[in-house]
Amino acid sequence: MRVGVTCYPTYGGSGVVATELGQEFAARGHEIHFISYAPPIRMNLAEPNVHFHEVEVSTYPLFDHPPYALALATKMLEVFELESLDLLHVHYAIPHSVSAILARSMAAPRRLPFITTLHGTDITLVGANRDFLPITRFSIEQSDGVTAISSYLQERTIREFDIRRPIEIIPNFVNCDIYTRSADGALRARIAPAGEPILMHLSNFRPVKRALDAVEIFALIRDRMPAKLVMIGDGPDRAAAEYLAYKKGLHPDVRFLGKQDAVYQKLASADLFLLPSQLESFGLAALEAMACEVPVIATRVGGVPEVVEDGVDGYLVEPGDVAGAARHAIEILSRADRGREMGQRARAHAKKKFCSQDIIPLYERYYERVISGS
Ligand code: GMT
């Protein structure tokens, strides 16, 4: 198949899923054409079937806001014509699926079907905003195929947007051969030279992630035992989280690494992963940690209970319950064998339900269905 893929190329779960999916398809012999304003993070252009087409938006004094959605639609059409695309797959509804509708109309009478994958905030925050609700709803209804990354997101989309068409659930996935427990010993020695347990948080530090709660949880743990906290990623709340760690006198034990490639190497050094989000439609970072045999303490929100089984792979608490999260963390960390056991169960769970080798064929079959129009 020859597939055009559009996503936000920045640091966020939807771009990661789009990129990994494209690359998994390319490895299976399909031709993948990423169409976006910058190469997506984690994209490997060395892969022969992976191509990148940059969307450039011309500026003009009249434009206070450069019309990206229109430039994207034009580029989609151009790539369709030059590369004979069979399908477009857009990740995140706004504005990508609106651009795809335009590209499809411009391509007619030739057929350019497109699939929209809903990731979360495109429905729960951006799409639910009255400014965008009607156009988000329209773009979902008009897509040739729609997938959601959890049943939570599927149900919420149907309910809140009054959607009358089917939405397929295809969960997020992880490459279980790459995300393993092959921990980088050098990293562990550098971060925890006295063998202290390592906690990790990985996100884009947007307010919805409650990254400051990770620091609050860690403070309660540090009151009871030696430990280290590694914060990976960057975004609006990073400075506040760093300041909180400093104010609490924790800075010698907390490392902010910023945006990182090859996060599997870092995750594999962790003893516990913290995801204290206000909302997650899936919680990809938790799945990545689980595949690396890291137990997870997360919040019981959105699609997270579909990924993290409470009491098995880790524990779920209510958003803001930093005391509850710290209590569970101390319980796990104060007995190394308990943490290791939970971590192994977490990987077994990830392998059973979310390995790319099992999820990619679901997308492959869905692509075939949409292309054939059945
Ligand atoms: O969470 C974010 O801010 C990023 C966002 C995105 O679209 O990039 O993440 C969403 O998609 C991820 C990949 O499918 C999911 O794992 C996240 O749970 C989801 N975030 C939210 O629902 C808040």
Side-chain angles (χ1 to χ4, degrees):
M1 282 178 264
R2 306 172 70 82
V3 183
V5 177
T6 289
C7 63
Y8 282 105
T10 48
Y11 206 67
S14 59
V16 170
V17 171
T19 313
E20 305 272 6
L21 178 60
Q23 289 181 167
E24 293 275 355
F25 260 79
R28 286 161 171 77
H30 303 291
E31 288 288 329
I32 300 300
H33 295 267
F34 287 101
I35 308 169
S36 189
Y37 60 84
I41 53 157
R42 300 198 192 177
M43 186 183 78
N44 178 10
L45 266 175
E47 168 65 59
N49 298 341
V50 172
H51 312 271
F52 172 64
H53 306 266
E54 185 174 341
V55 180
E56 286 173 80
V57 191
S58 25
T59 49
Y60 184 69
L62 200 59
F63 297 156
D64 270 347
H65 307 286
Y68 177 69
L70 303 185
L72 174 61
T74 307
K75 184 60 85 177
M76 284 169 163
L77 179 71
E78 181 188 309
V79 178
F80 162 68
E81 285 173 340
L82 289 176
E83 305 293 344
S84 308
L85 296 183
D86 299 306
L87 178 77
L88 278 173
H89 186 177
V90 304
H91 294 259
Y92 211 91
I94 293 294
H96 303 146
S97 46
V98 179
S99 303
I101 292 171
L102 289 174
R104 184 181 63 188
S105 303
M106 289 189 284
R110 293 159 301 169
R111 198 160 173 272
L112 175 54
F114 77 93
I115 293 172
T116 301
T117 288
L118 306 171
H119 281 272
T121 49
D122 45 355
I123 294 302
T124 58
L125 293 179
V126 183
N129 179 319
R130 300 306 303 181
D131 295 340
F132 293 117
L133 195 147
I135 201 160
T136 304
R137 181 176 191 283
F138 179 74
S139 71
I140 291 170
E141 291 285 9
Q142 289 292 315
S143 301
D144 298 282
V146 183
T147 76
I149 44 99
S150 61
S151 44
Y152 158 79
L153 190 60
Q154 181 218 41
E155 282 159 23
R156 187 162 169 183
T157 307
I158 290 172
R159 190 177 66 245
E160 288 186 13
F161 289 73
D162 189 24
I163 298 295
R164 306 290 166 90
R165 53 155 309 136
I167 297 180
E168 189 94 356
I169 300 164
I170 304 187
N172 286 338
F173 56 88
V174 64
N175 187 319
C176 297
D177 298 328
I178 294 177
Y179 284 75
T180 65
R181 191 72 196 167
S182 53
D184 174 354
L187 179 77
R188 180 168 261 287
R190 206 165 61 242
I191 288 172
E196 300 92 335
I198 300 175
L199 292 97
M200 252 178 222
H201 170 75
L202 159 65
S203 78
N204 51 28
F205 287 70
R206 295 197 188 124
V208 71
K209 302 293 175 182
R210 297 184 72 108
L212 277 77
D213 281 7
V215 177
E216 296 280 5
I217 295 165
F218 181 69
L220 295 174
I221 298 167
R222 252 325 262 106
D223 282 348
R224 299 280 301 277
M225 61 193 294
K228 300 286 179 182
L229 173 64
V230 176
M231 304 283 278
I232 304 176
D234 212 331
D237 278 352
R238 175 176 167 178
E242 286 202 66
Y243 183 65
L244 181 64
Y246 174 78
K247 216 172 60 180
K248 287 183 173 283
L250 294 169
H251 46 291
D253 293 322
V254 184
R255 296 278 287 270
F256 286 81
L257 301 186
K259 293 179 184 176
Q260 294 284 319
D261 291 330
V263 289
Y264 53 90
Q265 288 166 354
K266 317 284 179 313
L267 287 170
S269 299
D271 297 295
L272 187 62
F273 187 79
L274 299 176
L275 191 69
S277 308
Q278 186 65 35
L279 182 59
E280 288 292 343
S281 297
F282 186 90
L284 181 64
L287 174 62
E288 292 177 337
M290 286 163 60
C292 295
E293 295 185 25
V294 185
V296 170
I297 294 184
T299 38
R300 191 179 291 103
V301 291
V304 175
E306 296 172 47
V307 182
V308 181
E309 200 178 330
D310 191 21
V312 178
D313 312 316
Y315 291 102
L316 299 179
V317 298
E318 296 310 312
D321 182 8
V322 292
R327 211 171 38 250
H328 286 306
I330 291 164
E331 182 203 321
I332 294 174
L333 296 175
S334 45
R335 277 190 41 203
D337 56 337
R338 173 119 180 92
R340 296 300 315 125
E341 247 171 57
M342 272 198 144
Q344 282 157 6
R345 283 203 300 265
R347 176 164 171 87
H349 185 198
K351 272 189 86 172
K352 188 162 166 230
K353 286 172 69 181
F354 303 110
C355 273
S356 40
Q357 68 202 47
D358 299 315
I359 305 299
I360 305 304
L362 303 181
Y363 273 112
E364 229 160 4
R365 284 200 287 276
Y366 195 60
Y367 280 14
E368 281 159 6
R369 254 168 62 198
V370 170
I371 291 170
S372 69
S374 57

